[in-house]
Amino acid sequence: MAVRIRLKRIGKIHHPIYRVVVVDSRKKRDGRVIEEVGKYDPNQEPSLIELESERIQYWLGVGAQPSDAVHRFLVLSGDWAKFKGAKNVENRIRTKDEGDDVAAAIKAADDAAEKAKAKKAEAEAKAKKEAEAAKAAAESEKAAEGTPAEEAPAEEKAE
């Protein structure tokens, strides 16, 4: 049985996504596979290439032959050099700099949370201050009404 490592097309019309698969060479392009060992999405910028290096090394070791497209991926990922016995293996697949974007998003979320806390604390302080002012005003009003009211019954008792 001749085993190949090649691409299997999935996805929508005009929006292909591929899986890197190990398959018998006599099978159809999208037919039954032995094992899936990676993904390739050319629609992203930069293209997404994910390979399971250990499984690819195993299949290359037992005689599986990569297709031309998969061979290019293996050269980029350094798996082909590793298979051939090179000591210095370098992965040259470009990836998104998600670390910077994630860090910036986290920092922005933290800043927004701190601003929200500060606004909430300021609103609570303002509400507390207004409540104390209203309470003080009510007490002073009650005290102002209470003094004449206390004197009036005393005068009535005297008469």
Side-chain angles (χ1 to χ4, degrees):
M1 175 167 80
V3 179
R4 304 257 322 170
I5 303 174
R6 65 183 186 199
L7 297 176
K8 175 181 179 178
R9 188 182 195 277
I10 57 174
K12 299 177 181 179
I13 297 175
H14 305 296
H15 190 81
I17 298 173
Y18 300 93
R19 290 187 180 148
V20 181
V21 296
V22 178
V23 64
D24 182 3
S25 63
R26 296 170 289 191
K27 296 283 185 178
K28 298 177 187 176
R29 177 192 69 179
D30 299 336
R32 188 171 175 192
V33 301
I34 298 171
E35 183 179 359
E36 294 180 5
V37 293
K39 299 177 192 174
Y40 169 56
D41 186 357
N43 301 307
Q44 296 182 12
E45 185 55 41
S47 297
L48 171 72
I49 301 172
E50 292 179 0
L51 301 172
E52 295 176 19
S53 183
E54 290 180 18
R55 295 306 299 162
I56 289 174
Q57 291 301 317
Y58 167 77
W59 283 108
L60 290 173
V62 295
Q65 296 295 311
S67 68
D68 292 338
V70 173
H71 183 268
R72 287 191 299 268
F73 297 155
L74 297 179
V75 169
L76 283 175
S77 70
D79 288 329
W80 189 252
K82 188 186 296 183
F83 171 67
K84 290 297 184 181
K87 294 182 181 180
N88 293 335
V89 178
E90 180 183 349
N91 184 350
R92 296 179 308 193
I93 296 176
R94 292 187 306 147
T95 59
K96 290 182 180 179
D97 293 332
E98 294 180 19
D100 297 338
D101 297 339
V102 171
I106 290 172
K107 185 176 180 182
D110 289 343
D111 291 344
E114 287 181 29
K115 286 181 183 178
K117 280 184 182 180
K119 242 183 191 180
K120 185 177 179 182
E122 184 179 316
E124 287 177 359
K126 187 176 180 181
K128 187 176 181 182
K129 190 175 183 181
E130 287 177 2
E132 289 177 3
K135 187 176 179 182
E139 287 180 5
S140 64
E141 206 174 287
K142 187 176 180 181
E145 289 177 7
T147 307
E150 290 176 6
E151 291 176 7
E155 291 175 8
E156 290 176 11
K157 289 180 184 177
E159 291 177 10

